[in-house]
Amino acid sequence: MKTRVIQNEPPEPSGNGSPGATNGSRRPPNLAARMARWSAHHRKKAIVGWLAFAIALFAVSMVSPMKTLVWETSGPGESGWAEKTIYEDLEQPGSEVVLVQHESLSASSPEFKAVVDDTIAALSELDEVALVESPYDTENPGLISTDRRSALVQTEIVGDSADAADKTAPIVDRVAEVQTANPDFTIGSFGESTGKALEATFSDDLKKAGLIS
């Protein structure tokens, strides 16, 4: 006795390309597809709308206050907790450091010492400076480089450390005067003043990047 095997024919593909589906069961396009289709048929409106949206976001970002990250209070773990405690509970004065350097003269030479003394005297006269520390004091080790050609003069700024950056202009000007009087030396300051300059530069670059984007 012979057995005949009849194989069912595969269903015809529907209009949307999925086998077995009928026109009545076709799914409607999702939101992204509908937006893409609308944008394709209304290019000018889509472009103008996106530009208006981008400009509105940029305007909001410009008027919104920026949150300043305080590095001393943002560390992780126990070390971060200790830094935060020191920063919030103990007064930390602002500081500015002056570098005095010469290519050949040693910090032990009379000429080098004279320039350092002039720097200390010039900074000590300012009302914005609370304390000036000499690199030659025994209680200030490590302020003279190992090659004896560079020395650091440390200063503390009067008042709250949060306002220290706004008081650095007289210090920078006075250091520039000492540099002019001693052209053979390299004399410059860094600390609160450079931090303020870097913050201003970063803020300007961020605004330019937002405008370009």
Side-chain angles (χ1 to χ4, degrees):
M1 180 177 178
K2 295 183 179 180
T3 302
R4 184 179 180 184
V5 179
I6 301 175
Q7 183 177 3
N8 293 330
E9 294 294 331
E12 292 294 330
S14 61
N16 61 358
S18 58
T22 61
N23 291 335
S25 62
R26 182 184 300 175
R27 294 182 179 179
N30 57 27
L31 178 61
R34 292 199 298 268
M35 291 178 62
R37 184 177 302 171
W38 183 89
S39 299
H41 289 84
H42 305 82
R43 293 183 180 180
K44 291 184 178 180
K45 292 182 178 180
I47 293 174
V48 172
W50 279 113
L51 284 177
F53 180 69
I55 293 173
L57 285 180
F58 177 72
V60 171
S61 66
M62 288 297 98
V63 299
S64 299
M66 296 183 62
K67 184 177 180 181
T68 302
L69 178 64
V70 181
W71 297 107
E72 291 84 355
T73 62
S74 59
E78 293 184 359
S79 61
W81 172 82
E83 291 179 356
K84 182 179 180 180
T85 301
I86 294 174
Y87 179 81
E88 293 181 348
D89 297 341
L90 299 177
E91 183 178 357
Q92 300 293 318
S95 64
E96 189 79 1
V97 181
V98 180
L99 171 66
V100 180
Q101 191 176 54
H102 198 279
E103 293 182 356
S104 58
L105 290 178
S106 170
S108 304
S109 65
E111 296 86 350
F112 199 109
K113 287 184 177 181
V115 174
V116 171
D117 290 341
D118 289 344
T119 302
I120 295 174
L123 296 176
S124 299
E125 297 174 353
L126 297 176
D127 295 334
E128 292 80 5
V129 176
L131 176 66
V132 183
E133 297 181 352
S134 172
Y136 297 108
D137 291 343
T138 56
E139 59 268 22
N140 297 325
L143 297 184
I144 298 178
S145 63
T146 54
D147 62 1
R148 307 290 296 178
R149 295 180 182 176
S150 301
L152 296 177
V153 178
Q154 293 183 333
T155 68
E156 290 185 4
I157 301 175
V158 174
D160 193 337
S161 60
D163 303 325
D166 298 329
K167 302 176 183 178
T168 57
I171 300 175
V172 174
D173 294 341
R174 192 59 60 90
V175 171
E177 293 175 2
V178 178
Q179 171 67 85
T180 302
N182 300 276
D184 295 336
F185 286 78
T186 298
I187 306 172
S189 64
F190 59 93
E192 297 290 345
S193 61
T194 50
K196 181 179 180 180
L198 287 175
E199 184 178 353
T201 301
F202 177 76
S203 179
D204 291 342
D205 292 343
L206 189 62
K207 290 180 180 179
K208 291 179 182 178
L211 179 61
I212 293 173
S213 64

